[in-house]
Amino acid sequence: MSKILITGGAGFIGSNFVRMLLLGSDHQLVNLDALTYAGNLENLADVERHPRYVFVRGDIADAAAMAKVFAEHRPEVVVHFAAESHVDRSVLDASAFVRTNLQGTQVLLDQSRAQQVRRFVHVSTDEVYGSLGAWGYFTEQTPIQPNSPYSASKAGSDLLVRAAVHTHHLDCVTTRCSNNYGPFQFPEKLIPLMIANALEGKKLPVYGDGKNVRDWIHVADHCEGIKKAMEHGAAGEVYNFGGDAERENLTVVKEILRLLGKGEDLIHYVKDRPGHDRRYAMDSSKARALLGWTPRHTFESGLRQTVEWYVANRAWWQRVRSGEYQAYYERLYGGR
Ligand code: NAD
Ligand code: TYD
């Protein structure tokens, strides 16, 4: 049993990871989250009273606050999810991305070193590799060539982690994963946004020609990969995770409409995202060979389950779509 500090555990992937470890391990968990627009404690309502779980509200970029959290809780392992995570928001304003993803990561690395944390797991993304043409896959050797302010801030955080390994010999493992989908994803990302809009009879905004390709992975498969990297990854290494499920956006959107029994007339082509990466596709052979990891969900069954989850949990996404989100939606899509 270890004491694990999980940052960003109230967000989409972090909350799925917290639940997985509470139900499937004997680790003690400290969930550290600032509760930004994307952080929602409701995501963990079913486990919030678990005896091996505690929540702490805090901003990872606040060094003094983090020094207190580390001194009080003395984590042995840190799993770092907390980030500003949405590309479109980074196009509108990158400042929070620089603060949280860069400064926040460095604060956590400094505290981990000061408090002699045994292992630091840094959760990153395939987007640091840039964009692919029609062929090929990202491997761990692919050069880092981020194109959006979001991916640039994540790439910078990966390099800060690399520097902590080389300069200070901190034991860090970096995971890079493709696009996640599943329960509790904030309905600003493609799949939950399209499901929620279709359920409300609203237009489904498809960027550009709809032929951009993403490699979709179920969040549970990603969480399993992070757990394996935490337990068996080698210090200083990077591991790629992908779902082997490349789909054009339009194919995904049409499948969602089919599953909901809605017509394709809801599809609305809008102006393309500036700097829109054309294709992502992951080569996960290193994680398969060295961590014994393999994704369990097919995209077809995972998407069906996800659509069912959003149908059954309408109150959850209607609540998170109120307030601040409404203003953001108007700002992003209003002119398109
Ligand atoms: P999310 O936006 O749903 O959650 C982010 C969480 O971080 C929220 O709970 C938020 O409150 C918290 N947070 C933000 N700023 C903070 C700060 N300054 N201090 C403390 N907490 C803060 O994001 P997600 O989709 O769950 O992604 C989690 C991680 O996984 C991110 O690092 C992201 O880059 C990475 N990732 C995401 C995907 C994906 O498809 N969603 C794919 C690969 C990697
Ligand atoms: P997104 O879920 O924002 O993830 P990322 O940009 O990190 O890959 O977008 C996935 C794909 O869907 C991407 O090619 C952009 C596209 N997209 C739309 O066409 N319309 C939308 O409203 C959104 C949010 C995304």
Side-chain angles (χ1 to χ4, degrees):
M1 185 200 72
S2 301
K3 191 159 197 188
I4 306 180
L5 179 77
I6 296 171
T7 73
F12 163 47
I13 306 172
S15 63
N16 277 281
F17 188 73
V18 165
R19 183 176 295 97
M20 188 186 85
L21 285 197
L22 284 176
L23 304 181
S25 79
D26 61 357
H27 298 304
Q28 262 190 290
L29 309 185
V30 180
N31 175 9
L32 169 71
D33 199 296
L35 300 182
T36 68
Y37 80 94
N40 184 355
L41 286 178
E42 232 186 290
N43 297 358
L44 290 165
D46 56 326
V47 291
E48 67 189 2
R49 288 175 202 284
H50 197 287
R52 287 187 286 103
Y53 172 76
V54 53
F55 172 73
V56 178
R57 186 169 191 178
D59 173 0
I60 60 166
D62 181 341
M66 288 307 102
K68 280 195 196 140
V69 170
F70 275 71
E72 186 183 339
H73 293 282
R74 301 206 147 269
E76 298 162 79
V77 174
V78 173
V79 184
H80 176 33
F81 292 92
E84 287 294 332
S85 69
H86 188 36
V87 173
D88 291 317
R89 285 182 188 258
S90 80
V91 174
L92 293 175
D93 180 0
S95 53
F97 291 74
V98 171
R99 184 170 191 278
T100 291
N101 300 0
L102 288 167
Q103 199 177 324
T105 299
Q106 186 60 46
V107 165
L108 294 173
L109 291 168
D110 290 343
Q111 282 305 317
S112 297
R113 188 157 64 92
Q115 296 291 341
Q116 296 174 326
V117 161
R118 190 156 48 74
R119 164 145 289 186
F120 187 99
V121 181
H122 177 57
V123 180
S124 191
T125 166
D126 60 353
E127 301 190 27
V128 301
Y129 296 124
S131 184
L132 290 166
W135 294 281
Y137 296 90
F138 295 134
T139 73
E140 290 81 357
Q141 274 71 49
T142 302
I144 303 290
Q145 287 181 325
N147 293 319
S148 73
Y150 162 68
S151 55
S153 68
K154 290 297 290 187
S157 70
D158 289 17
L159 297 181
L160 292 173
V161 170
R162 179 188 152 89
V165 172
H166 285 262
T167 305
H168 299 299
H169 308 292
L170 190 67
D171 181 320
C172 303
V173 173
T174 295
T175 63
R176 294 190 181 130
C177 189
S178 62
N179 287 63
N180 285 219
Y181 67 96
F184 299 108
Q185 187 168 30
F186 195 91
E188 64 182 356
K189 306 277 169 69
L190 180 76
I191 288 181
L193 176 72
M194 297 298 159
I195 299 172
N197 278 16
L199 283 170
E200 291 193 323
K202 292 183 179 155
K203 289 177 181 166
L204 274 48
V206 171
Y207 298 163
D209 62 4
K211 292 191 189 308
N212 297 64
V213 172
R214 297 295 183 261
D215 173 4
W216 295 98
I217 183 170
H218 194 278
V219 64
D221 286 327
H222 183 197
C223 289
E224 193 57 45
I226 294 167
K227 181 164 180 277
K228 285 196 182 283
M230 176 179 83
E231 291 169 346
H232 309 299
E237 290 293 315
V238 174
Y239 298 92
N240 283 355
F241 296 95
D244 288 338
E246 286 184 56
R247 299 286 184 281
E248 289 185 352
N249 293 337
L250 205 49
T251 308
V252 175
V253 171
K254 286 182 178 171
E255 181 61 9
I256 289 168
L257 287 169
R258 196 189 65 77
L259 287 164
L260 288 171
K262 304 274 183 181
E264 292 183 7
D265 52 318
L266 284 177
I267 293 173
H268 178 57
Y269 291 93
V270 297
K271 205 165 103 211
D272 208 357
R273 170 190 281 172
H276 195 175
D277 284 339
R278 193 62 173 170
R279 174 172 168 259
Y280 302 145
M282 277 302 225
D283 177 341
S284 322
S285 51
K286 180 176 173 183
R288 285 172 184 268
L290 300 182
L291 301 177
W293 172 84
T294 178
R296 293 180 200 290
H297 291 78
T298 64
F299 184 64
E300 284 62 36
S301 73
L303 185 64
R304 187 170 7 88
Q305 282 171 23
T306 302
V307 167
E308 285 165 5
W309 189 88
Y310 280 84
V311 169
N313 290 277
R314 205 178 178 114
W316 178 87
W317 56 261
Q318 282 184 331
R319 265 198 297 281
V320 302
R321 254 155 72 110
S322 61
E324 186 268 354
Y325 178 74
Q326 299 293 352
Y328 157 77
Y329 196 84
E330 194 43 47
R331 210 171 142 210
L332 179 66
Y333 296 100
R336 289 180 166 183

